[in-house]
Amino acid sequence: MPEIREFMKQFYILDDWVRQFLIVGEEEALLIDTGVEESHVAEAVRQITSLPVRVVLTHGDHDHAGGLGAFGSCLVHPEDADMLPPEIRWQPLREGDTLECGGYRFEVLHIPGHTPGSIALLDREHGLLLPGDSIQKEGTIYMFGPRRNLERYLESLRELQPLEGEIRQILPSHGECPIEPAYLSRVLEDALALRDGKLSGEPHPTLPCRICMGKWTGFLAE
Ligand SMILES: [Zn+2]
């Protein structure tokens, strides 16, 4: 079960090797990502609130969508809906949509690349950006395999750059959290180096990819 900490008022972080976020409102709670099935995120949520839970996915990878079975439905960007188990009911979440809960107001930013339907959630008033897997400090950002697209990822990272002066904290799904806004340009710098073949990569011990470490973060790449 993930470790629970209250990060801000009514805003909880559920921390395992992958992270979930729970915002508790007056009439419902908003859960961002569901972890892997074995993490029993639904049980952790029930320790915090008994309110109905609306689930939002940052993207469809199994370590974010694996706990969906306990909730039955979610909001997800349509480009990742085909990654979900068929029994899960889903509603589309698109660029420009907003989600309000517990005094927080998140704008949906579509940031394809890590997966086609990856999103980030931006709360301008609190200066928070939840980027899913797309921004990590010293991470291994998965960029190999059929659903990854480095050019789309670079485009998404470029679109996030103007936020660097506006936000105060980035809350990634893996690794250190929170991290400073400078990681928006740092991850772009490393991703450009990856594209340009400047990151030497060690073969991964078990996966068919290379581990390419940049100055600030790392990638699993072809
Ligand atoms: Zn992940």
Side-chain angles (χ1 to χ4, degrees), residues 3-187:
E3 203 176 287
I4 299 166
R5 66 175 158 133
E6 188 169 10
F7 174 67
M8 289 169 68
K9 192 170 183 294
Q10 305 291 89
F11 188 127
Y12 296 84
I13 293 181
L14 281 56
D15 224 326
D16 223 327
W17 58 272
V18 58
R19 192 168 287 123
Q20 301 83 45
F21 306 91
L22 181 74
I23 293 104
V24 180
E26 296 283 316
E27 284 158 16
E28 68 167 9
L30 191 68
L31 176 67
I32 299 158
D33 287 345
T34 63
V36 291
E37 194 177 1
E38 305 78 56
S39 283
H40 303 290
V41 167
E43 287 176 37
V45 168
R46 287 296 162 234
Q47 290 185 5
I48 303 167
T49 180
S50 55
L51 288 172
V53 177
R54 188 152 58 129
V55 175
V56 177
L57 294 187
T58 60
H59 62 294
D61 278 344
H62 85 283
D63 54 328
H64 302 259
L68 270 179
F71 300 96
S73 66
C74 68
L75 295 161
V76 65
H77 191 280
E79 286 195 61
D80 273 6
D82 61 335
M83 299 173 80
L84 307 182
E87 67 275 16
I88 299 298
R89 286 169 289 118
W90 63 275
Q91 289 184 305
L93 205 56
R94 293 193 171 87
E95 170 84 21
D97 286 351
T98 56
L99 299 162
E100 291 188 49
C101 189
Y104 298 85
R105 184 176 184 277
F106 295 102
E107 289 171 45
V108 174
L109 311 177
H110 184 210
I111 52 163
H114 173 65
T115 63
S118 285
I119 61 159
L121 296 172
L122 169 67
D123 182 318
R124 291 183 195 268
E125 189 189 327
H126 295 93
L128 301 173
L129 182 72
L130 283 61
D133 283 1
S134 300
I135 305 285
Q136 298 176 32
K137 177 180 179 179
E138 292 163 9
T140 39
I141 301 170
Y142 275 57
M143 287 307 298
F144 80 99
R147 299 185 68 84
R148 320 296 177 185
N149 184 319
L150 187 55
E151 283 307 319
R152 279 188 102 185
Y153 179 62
L154 286 166
E155 191 53 40
S156 296
L157 292 176
R158 284 191 196 97
E159 285 175 13
L160 291 175
Q161 296 306 299
L163 294 176
E164 190 159 306
E166 187 179 336
I167 59 169
R168 293 193 286 277
Q169 302 183 90
I170 301 172
L171 311 182
S173 296
H174 299 281
E176 198 174 309
C177 176
I179 58 176
E180 63 256 44
Y183 274 87
L184 291 182
S185 49
R186 291 171 178 172
V187 171

